Amino acid sequence: QQISEGEHAEIEKGPLLATLKSFSKKTSKSLSGWSPPDLLEVAGEGEALDELVALARFGEQHVVLPSTEWITIIAFLGKATGGERPIGVMGAICRTILKHRKGAATSWCSKKAGFWDCAVSKSSALQAALRRTLRCEIAVWKGEKACMMLWDAEQFYDNVALDEVAAKAVEMDFPIVGLAMAYQAHAGQR
């Protein structure tokens, strides 16, 4: 369900059901043993779905997740180039609500991201590096001097203070409810 910046429409049964259906059946189970497809299977379209909608609404109205959603399982996936990549498997309810409200974050990104920003949808580190390298090559070709500094930020997010990111997000009018819920899940136990 798309919501505009500054607005926060209440979660409705039909759109929440559509969000649950959008998850792959192979989606990982959380620590509670549930995945969003499991919620769909149990909730169906009956009374249990009404209860799930009520829970999601309560969570958003009070900007709080159930305590079981604060624990993230860390799983390690093998990389094609060798080594492993850790991923966090958040709670099923948290994943459902955040995916349901993804439109607000996407809308914010499209309005706030600068033309120079490389950390946006459909961009990659390779594209950014190639673009910068091309600018240097063109400068040299034109007889100008060029310099480029490259910084390997592979472990960048391990060194970012979550409070600082949240404060900057609030300053930049990021959708606050999604931010608060993601913060709770990210700051929880692993």
Side-chain angles (χ1 to χ4, degrees):
Q1 175 179 354
Q2 290 257 341
I3 57 174
S4 302
E5 194 173 317
E7 293 179 14
H8 199 77
E10 189 171 69
I11 291 178
E12 297 295 334
K13 188 188 303 189
L16 186 63
L17 187 60
T19 298
L20 287 168
K21 288 179 179 178
S22 73
F23 283 93
S24 165
K25 291 190 187 313
K26 296 178 183 177
T27 299
S28 299
K29 293 185 183 296
S30 65
L31 183 65
S32 67
W34 291 83
S35 69
D38 294 335
L39 296 177
L40 175 64
E41 186 177 329
V42 171
E45 296 190 30
E47 190 175 317
L49 181 59
D50 293 334
E51 294 297 323
L52 182 59
V53 169
L55 178 62
R57 284 179 182 167
F58 180 89
E60 284 196 334
Q61 289 164 357
H62 298 278
V63 194
V64 66
L65 290 168
S67 59
T68 56
E69 301 295 294
W70 298 348
I71 302 171
T72 300
I73 297 173
I74 302 299
F76 292 91
L77 301 179
K79 290 182 176 179
T81 57
E84 296 175 324
R85 178 174 62 97
I87 63 160
V89 181
M90 297 186 318
I93 294 168
C94 179
R95 282 188 276 171
T96 301
I97 293 172
L98 291 177
K99 187 171 187 178
H100 187 70
R101 294 301 193 188
K102 183 180 177 183
T106 302
S107 173
W108 180 89
C109 286
S110 68
K111 291 176 186 171
K112 300 285 185 173
F115 68 92
W116 43 265
D117 196 346
C118 298
V120 294
S121 178
K122 298 188 173 99
S123 185
S124 71
L126 177 60
Q127 289 173 322
L130 291 174
R131 195 175 314 114
R132 291 177 182 140
T133 301
L134 179 61
R135 286 184 187 142
C136 285
E137 292 293 333
I138 291 172
V140 170
W141 179 74
K142 292 168 65 176
E144 299 171 3
K145 293 184 180 180
C147 177
M148 179 170 47
M149 181 181 290
L150 301 174
W151 177 37
D152 182 2
E154 184 174 324
Q155 309 237 331
F156 174 76
Y157 291 104
D158 294 338
N159 301 301
V160 174
L162 193 56
D163 291 343
E164 291 176 27
V165 173
K168 190 67 174 175
V170 169
E171 179 185 316
M172 296 180 69
D173 297 321
F174 190 83
I176 193 74
V177 174
L179 173 67
M181 291 190 146
Y183 186 100
Q184 289 172 53
H186 189 79
Q189 296 180 354
R190 304 210 177 305

